[in-house]
Amino acid sequence: MTFPFVLLSTLAGLLLSTLSICAQTLADRLGYPPGTRLIVVHADDLGVTHAVNAATIKGLEAGTINSASLMVPCPWFPEIADYAKSHPDADFGLHLTLTSERVYYRWGPVASRDKVPSVVDENGYFHHDWEQNEHIDAKEVEIELRAQIDRALAMGVHPTHLDSHQYRLIMSGKELFDVILRVAHAYKLPVFVTRDWFADHPYLQSSLGPDDVVVDHTVTIEPEVPPEKWTEFYLAALKNLQPGVTEFVIHPGYDDEELRAATRERSTWGAAWRQRDYDFFTSDQFRQVLAQQNIKLITWRELARATALR
Amino acid sequence: MTFPFVLLSTLAGLLLSTLSICAQTLADRLGYPPGTRLIVVHADDLGVTHAVNAATIKGLEAGTINSASLMVPCPWFPEIADYAKSHPDADFGLHLTLTSERVYYRWGPVASRDKVPSVVDENGYFHHDWEQNEHIDAKEVEIELRAQIDRALAMGVHPTHLDSHQYRLIMSGKELFDVILRVAHAYKLPVFVTRDWFADHPYLQSSLGPDDVVVDHTVTIEPEVPPEKWTEFYLAALKNLQPGVTEFVIHPGYDDEELRAATRERSTWGAAWRQRDYDFFTSDQFRQVLAQQNIKLITWRELARATALR
């Protein structure tokens, strides 16, 4: 009676190999030796203003910023889409956007406005912000996300990943997270999610499947850091970097007339903030720390291969 | 048989008074002595970029630019709407916009996109331009114009007049001119039309009624004028100014990073062009010529009274 034994041993083998895949980190799957520290230096908000486009392009061309995501509904999207077309190797994702958080300079949906009434305010712009009691319709969100991706594709942008402006689609509950995940699967694109968020938002982990890319950690500077501690904050983050993949979510831009005017109602994520991010992530100091600490850069294009390698 | 005679004499009187109203110029109706030379120094395109808003506000506050019109669909409309709310005496009209003529920086309709398909391109922006064979649906144009005016009103702008970006609604035939006229009448606003255009576009004169304001002349600089002849062009126009009301259609702006980037695909109506307009119309030289030549400034708010005075 050898047959049941063979079956049992095959099943046990399958189980072991599945467990071993589950235990494998992103870095393992991509073939990096244990302990390797990898970072995505990811610029958010391309398309929002010219000053953000221009600064990020300079950082990408300097090589120390290596990934970015684009806001399709924003007025300067055509400029960055044009750049993406002529730089097909650039690691550009889409920064899916459902809010228009500024006061003097605003934007609205890509989808036809009357198809997405719950995401627009009384003047037809995206809401400034989502209040606790705001009813955001998940079906309309899906229509708008698909419209943003379709416009990007039509304009020659081939995104390597998706993420969510102000984390609205990550932090607003399971229903909206499932929308971005469903859309990502439909377009075969990874979504930026990190294990760091699982404790506060358990639905993330339960919704994700084995084929989804999950970044180990993320670092982003917060308003609590005073301007004079900017460099210190980032240097500490790099010094304390854990093995695996960490995404640095940064917001480069030039502190010029346009960006100052566009963000003047508050200093958080404003023009001076963005200039500080630009300055640090294009500095020789940053480049030297990467070399000294043997920290490697990795793009979303490479991370997406982890799924293909399974 | 005195009755018919009285009737006849009343009719004759009415006829004479009508003829005299018809013969009255705008300036006559507003009570200016014969021969008075009046100009509206009118800045176009507010809302298009921050550099245009900031330069025009400076010119308005200097007092030598005295009227302007706002592009409601454009990204920086909220900034100028906010200014309009806090400066209710500013002479602001709406620069009704149906094209998105730039390459790297664009905008689309205020109305829901699927209600105005003929005015948008395949990516959902207004067409770059209207080609000869473009079918622009007049009913959709009316929907979009009303949406622009309604958004302006909802955001606290109380326009003194209407005009048409790139003269699209003036120069594209009787059907579209009748739309802007109908909308203007519905909102009780004057539309910028000048007699100078009647010869080339006879439908303008035949569509206009006795209650419509018609400006006598207009002056606007054209690409044929080389940069070094800018001042000379405007000085000659002021020297040769005819009696009556003339609108100077100008395009002030700052030649800065934002405006250079937004207009970089061609120099016409570009950043340097707009800086030259700003420089001339805020110069002491312009102010001195106005005084020397006894040229008076007049706003659209005042012109609108001509109709009320009839």
Side-chain angles (χ1 to χ4, degrees), chain B residues 29-47:
Chain B
R29 278 200 255 162
L30 290 164
Y32 288 95
T36 309
R37 299 186 304 164
L38 297 146
I39 64 173
V40 187
V41 185
H42 189 278
D44 276 20
D45 298 353
L46 271 71

Side-chain angles (χ1 to χ4, degrees), chain A residues 50 75-79 82 103-106 109-115 123 125 151 154-155 258 261-262 264, chain B residues 50 75-79 82 103-106 109-115 123 125 151 154-155 258 261-262 264:
Chain A
H50 172 66
W76 285 92
F77 175 71
E79 176 178 69
D82 182 77
V103 172
Y104 301 104
Y105 174 72
R106 305 193 67 202
V110 172
S112 199
R113 218 165 265 115
D114 58 5
K115 292 212 171 84
N123 296 318
Y125 302 107
R151 178 188 279 183
M155 289 175 70
E258 178 206 21
R264 69 187 182 265
Chain B
H50 172 67
W76 285 93
F77 175 70
E79 177 179 67
D82 181 76
V103 172
Y104 302 102
Y105 173 74
R106 305 192 67 202
V110 172
S112 198
R113 220 166 262 114
D114 58 4
K115 292 212 172 82
N123 296 318
Y125 301 108
R151 178 188 277 184
M155 289 175 70
E258 178 205 21
R264 67 187 184 266

Side-chain angles (χ1 to χ4, degrees), chain B residues 43-174:
Chain B
D44 276 20
D45 298 353
L46 271 71
V48 67
T49 61
H50 172 67
V52 164
N53 285 350
T56 306
I57 287 171
K58 199 142 184 207
L60 288 164
E61 294 186 351
T64 48
I65 296 173
N66 73 331
S67 186
S69 58
L70 284 49
M71 296 170 81
V72 181
C74 288
W76 285 93
F77 175 70
E79 177 179 67
I80 197 68
D82 181 76
Y83 181 87
K85 267 174 75 172
S86 57
H87 296 79
D89 294 336
D91 194 56
F92 285 148
L94 300 183
H95 199 54
L96 298 168
T97 297
L98 292 160
T99 46
S100 178
E101 79 270 34
R102 295 297 173 176
V103 172
Y104 302 102
Y105 173 74
R106 305 192 67 202
W107 51 85
V110 172
S112 198
R113 220 166 262 114
D114 58 4
K115 292 212 172 82
V116 294
S118 78
V119 303
V120 296
D121 70 11
E122 67 280 13
N123 296 318
Y125 301 108
F126 282 135
H127 296 292
H128 268 288
D129 214 330
W130 288 357
E131 307 299 332
Q132 285 296 355
N133 56 357
E134 203 94 69
H135 172 69
I136 303 297
D137 184 293
K139 283 205 192 81
E140 296 174 18
V141 168
E142 181 158 349
I143 290 169
E144 175 59 20
L145 299 189
R146 286 175 176 268
Q148 292 184 15
I149 301 171
D150 291 342
R151 178 188 277 184
L153 293 170
M155 289 175 70
V157 178
H158 297 285
T160 59
H161 62 291
L162 300 177
D163 57 18
S164 167
H165 186 52
Q166 300 186 311
Y167 302 121
R168 284 291 176 273
L169 299 163
I170 304 290
M171 311 292 187
S172 306
K174 176 173 166 58

Side-chain angles (χ1 to χ4, degrees), chain A residues 44 73 109 129 169-171 176 180 186 199 212 223 230 238 247 266-267 278 290 302:
Chain A
D44 276 20
D129 212 332
L169 300 163
I170 305 290
M171 310 294 187
L176 294 188
I180 188 172
D212 292 309
W230 223 252
L238 290 163
E247 173 160 322
R266 58 180 164 88
S267 61
Y278 172 81
L290 293 183
E302 293 167 82

Side-chain angles (χ1 to χ4, degrees), chain A:
Chain A
M1 301 291 281
T2 53
F3 187 62
F5 175 77
V6 168
L7 187 67
L8 208 68
S9 108
T10 308
L11 278 174
L14 270 172
L15 188 68
L16 276 173
S17 105
T18 308
L19 281 171
S20 119
I21 284 173
C22 288
Q24 268 191 325
T25 64
L26 253 182
D28 292 338
R29 278 198 255 162
L30 291 164
Y32 289 96
T36 309
R37 299 185 304 164
L38 297 146
I39 64 173
V40 187
V41 185
H42 189 279
D44 276 20
D45 299 352
L46 272 73
V48 67
T49 61
H50 172 66
V52 164
N53 285 351
T56 306
I57 287 171
K58 199 141 187 209
L60 288 163
E61 295 187 350
T64 48
I65 295 172
N66 75 330
S67 186
S69 58
L70 283 48
M71 296 170 81
V72 181
C74 288
W76 285 92
F77 175 71
E79 176 178 69
I80 197 69
D82 182 77
Y83 181 86
K85 268 175 75 172
S86 58
H87 296 79
D89 294 335
D91 194 54
F92 284 150
L94 300 182
H95 198 53
L96 299 167
T97 298
L98 292 160
T99 45
S100 178
E101 77 270 35
R102 295 296 173 178
V103 172
Y104 301 104
Y105 174 72
R106 305 193 67 202
W107 50 85
V110 172
S112 199
R113 218 165 265 115
D114 58 5
K115 292 212 171 84
V116 292
S118 77
V119 303
V120 296
D121 69 11
E122 68 280 12
N123 296 318
Y125 302 107
F126 282 136
H127 296 292
H128 267 289
D129 212 332
W130 288 357
E131 307 299 332
Q132 284 297 356
N133 57 355
E134 201 94 72
H135 173 69
I136 303 296
D137 184 293
K139 285 206 192 81
E140 296 174 19
V141 168
E142 181 157 351
I143 290 169
E144 176 59 21
L145 299 189
R146 286 175 177 268
Q148 292 184 16
I149 301 171
D150 291 343
R151 178 188 279 183
L153 292 169
M155 289 175 70
V157 179
H158 297 285
T160 58
H161 63 290
L162 301 177
D163 57 17
S164 167
H165 185 53
Q166 302 187 309
Y167 302 121
R168 284 290 176 275
L169 300 163
I170 305 290
M171 310 294 187
S172 308
K174 179 173 164 58
E175 194 184 11
L176 294 188
F177 180 63
D178 286 350
V179 172
I180 188 172
L181 207 55
R182 184 162 58 244
V183 169
H185 293 165
Y187 287 88
K188 301 194 193 313
L189 291 169
V191 187
F192 172 44
V193 180
T194 163
R195 274 179 227 296
D196 290 351
W197 302 330
F198 286 179
D200 284 346
H201 305 284
Y203 56 83
L204 297 176
Q205 193 166 12
S206 60
S207 288
L208 289 161
D211 281 339
D212 292 309
V213 171
V214 177
V215 169
D216 299 300
H217 300 293
T218 188
V219 170
T220 192
I221 206 159
E222 295 290 343
E224 291 71 39
V225 181
E228 66 277 12
K229 301 277 186 186
W230 223 252
T231 299
E232 195 178 307
F233 171 90
Y234 284 127
L235 290 177
L238 290 163
K239 197 178 156 202
N240 299 324
L241 200 67
Q242 299 299 303
V245 179
T246 299
E247 173 160 322
F248 277 66
V249 175
I250 67 169
H251 298 85
Y254 292 134
D255 183 11
D256 69 3
E257 278 302 316
E258 178 206 21
L259 197 49
R260 274 198 292 272
T263 62
R264 69 187 182 265
E265 74 279 4
R266 58 180 164 88
S267 61
T268 45
W269 292 273
W273 173 304
R274 290 171 191 259
Q275 181 74 51
R276 290 194 295 274
D277 266 9
Y278 172 81
D279 290 345
F280 180 79
F281 286 97
T282 55
S283 69
D284 287 340
Q285 191 174 18
F286 176 52
R287 204 186 286 273
Q288 284 156 12
V289 172
L290 293 183
Q292 284 158 5
Q293 305 260 342
N294 197 25
I295 296 168
K296 297 192 186 313
L297 297 186
I298 191 165
T299 62
W300 271 98
R301 187 173 275 116
E302 293 167 82
L303 292 180
R305 287 194 204 122
T307 292
L309 288 171
R310 271 177 47 82

